[in-house]
Amino acid sequence: MSAFSVSFMGSDVVASCDASTTILDACISTGAPVPYNCRSGECGECRARLMSGSIEEIPGADPAIFNDVDRQQGDILTCMCFPRSNLELDVPLKSNKNVAAIETINTLVEGITWHGREILEVAVLPPSPISFQPGQYFDWTIRTNGVKRSFSAASAPDSEMLWFHIRLHPDGIASNFVSDVLRVGDFLEITGPFGHFKISDNAHRPAIFVAGGTGFAPIRSILDAAVSRKDTRPVRLFYGARTSDSLYCTDDADRWRSTLPDFKFFPALSDEPIETGVDAFRGNVTDLLDSELGSEVFGAEAYLCGPPPMIDAAIDVLLTKGIEKEDIFYDKFLPAKR
Ligand code: FES
């Protein structure tokens, strides 16, 4: 199949992309450091201005983040387009420092553990250590139908095994696969690492983490890596769940209390009755963030991961508290389309 070139204004970087590969996937696999997050038309991170060439767009982009107004001004979502000629794009390239090569590997399922009734932790053993940045994610190939689903690594890169957290949804493709099909001893094909959600090198700055649901997974990877490199920055972790059944990170929080020099944990439960006596704030995690954040905001960076409404609300709180927009990093966990 003939391949087209994808070049970038003001850069020597050139990617090669065949007609049946999305521009984004071709850029990622050839190491072009383009911005992206969801790879499915839902976050808008991969937006680029098409300076020359022609493309074919795959239907399915969320019209709230990309619509005809964007198309008319010449923008494209690189994750939703195939090339139909050589292309030149105008897009701010990211640093490709520490960018690991994308690999597809067969891993061995070593453990499947329930956390409450909704979250499963799956531990897999790769044939050799995988290079990735804490906070990145991998695609799973669901072997029953070939569908791909993305899950953040919940373990640090120096861990022998890769851990993933899967929230079960009724009739979810990955949910059914993990709960009904996948068993210890099976092989699981994964591809990655993907994504740009990772902690900065500014080791002297306080770090505020806000997680909802399994948005805890990449933060767990980041904080375990922080322990490994003896990070000394102040860390505040705000975690939101609906009930105590989904509050599955307390053991990790206890561990970080004794392994990180300045760590505080703030759990919030939105639907847990007061009468249960569980030691956690009752309400939304963003309300807790608003009430608890104090002087630690000075010079802080914030890392948010979870459902989009939680992230949008947390950004509003953090901006009100004086954290600069460019110091807020987030990874929106979007529900799979099917
Ligand atoms: S990466 Fe393309 S819209 Fe999210």
Side-chain angles (χ1 to χ4, degrees):
M1 185 175 294
S2 62
F4 301 111
S5 67
V6 182
S7 57
F8 303 89
M9 280 185 66
S11 166
D12 295 335
V13 173
V14 179
S16 174
C17 184
D18 67 52
S20 62
T21 302
T22 67
I23 298 165
L24 177 62
D25 279 353
C27 289
I28 293 171
S29 63
T30 53
V34 289
Y36 69 95
N37 185 12
C38 69
R39 292 167 50 236
S40 55
E42 292 157 296
C43 73
E45 295 280 320
C46 68
R47 176 191 297 258
R49 179 67 51 92
L50 180 62
M51 304 307 292
S52 66
S54 58
I55 53 95
E56 179 180 338
E57 184 178 339
I58 311 162
D62 181 347
I65 61 104
F66 190 81
N67 52 44
D68 285 344
V69 174
D70 304 294
R71 293 180 185 94
Q72 279 156 16
Q73 65 186 20
D75 285 354
I76 64 169
L77 295 179
T78 60
C79 71
M80 300 299 286
C81 293
F82 298 125
R84 291 295 174 255
S85 72
N86 293 336
L87 307 175
E88 185 182 30
L89 303 180
D90 184 9
V91 59
L93 297 179
K94 301 179 96 72
S95 161
N96 61 1
K97 192 176 121 192
N98 298 329
V99 172
I102 309 292
E103 294 179 85
T104 296
I105 54 170
N106 246 337
T107 62
L108 182 65
V109 178
E110 290 274 350
I112 301 176
T113 308
W114 283 95
H115 290 292
R117 283 162 297 184
E118 293 185 334
I119 295 170
L120 271 169
E121 182 175 79
V122 177
V124 302
L125 182 67
S128 58
I130 300 179
S131 177
F132 67 97
Q133 294 290 312
Q136 289 194 292
Y137 67 88
F138 291 80
D139 280 355
W140 286 22
T141 303
I142 309 298
R143 69 167 185 263
T144 46
N145 52 22
V147 167
K148 308 265 190 197
R149 286 290 179 264
S150 303
F151 297 103
S152 295
S155 46
D158 61 2
S159 168
E160 185 185 16
M161 285 194 281
L162 269 171
W163 293 9
F164 298 98
H165 296 160
I166 293 90
R167 181 183 205 90
L168 300 189
H169 298 281
D171 299 326
I173 289 175
S175 299
N176 291 344
F177 172 68
V178 175
S179 61
D180 300 342
V181 178
L182 193 68
R183 296 290 177 260
V184 171
D186 286 355
F187 285 104
L188 175 70
E189 183 184 280
I190 65 171
T191 302
F194 297 106
H196 298 298
F197 184 69
K198 59 182 196 281
I199 197 165
S200 78
D201 294 331
N202 301 320
H204 59 288
R205 299 181 66 176
I208 297 162
F209 294 91
V210 185
T214 50
F216 173 64
I219 289 173
R220 185 181 187 279
S221 175
I222 287 170
L223 290 183
D224 271 359
V227 170
S228 296
R229 63 170 183 271
K230 301 191 176 2
D231 204 318
T232 57
R233 79 182 88 190
V235 173
R236 303 291 179 264
L237 171 59
F238 293 81
Y239 180 75
R242 283 188 293 113
T243 64
S244 55
D245 189 57
S246 305
L247 185 63
Y248 73 112
C249 54
T250 48
D251 288 350
D252 289 310
D254 288 344
R255 193 163 49 81
W256 293 325
R257 238 179 240 116
S258 60
T259 49
L260 290 168
D262 185 0
F263 172 84
K264 288 185 183 163
F265 177 52
F266 301 90
L269 299 174
S270 59
D271 297 346
E272 179 83 9
I274 289 283
E275 301 75 47
T276 61
V278 175
D279 184 17
F281 174 82
R282 298 301 193 272
N284 292 326
V285 67
T286 46
D287 294 332
L288 182 60
L289 186 70
D290 193 22
S291 65
E292 289 294 334
L293 265 192
S295 58
E296 54 269 86
V297 298
F298 296 113
E301 296 172 326
Y303 299 88
L304 324 174
C305 196
M310 182 211 79
I311 288 182
D312 293 340
I315 289 172
D316 287 345
V317 171
L318 293 165
L319 291 174
T320 305
K321 295 279 182 184
I323 295 187
E324 301 292 336
K325 192 174 175 189
E326 56 268 26
D327 291 329
I328 301 174
F329 308 91
Y330 56 84
D331 189 0
K332 292 185 175 180
F333 271 28
L334 299 152
K337 285 178 178 163
R338 62 189 173 90

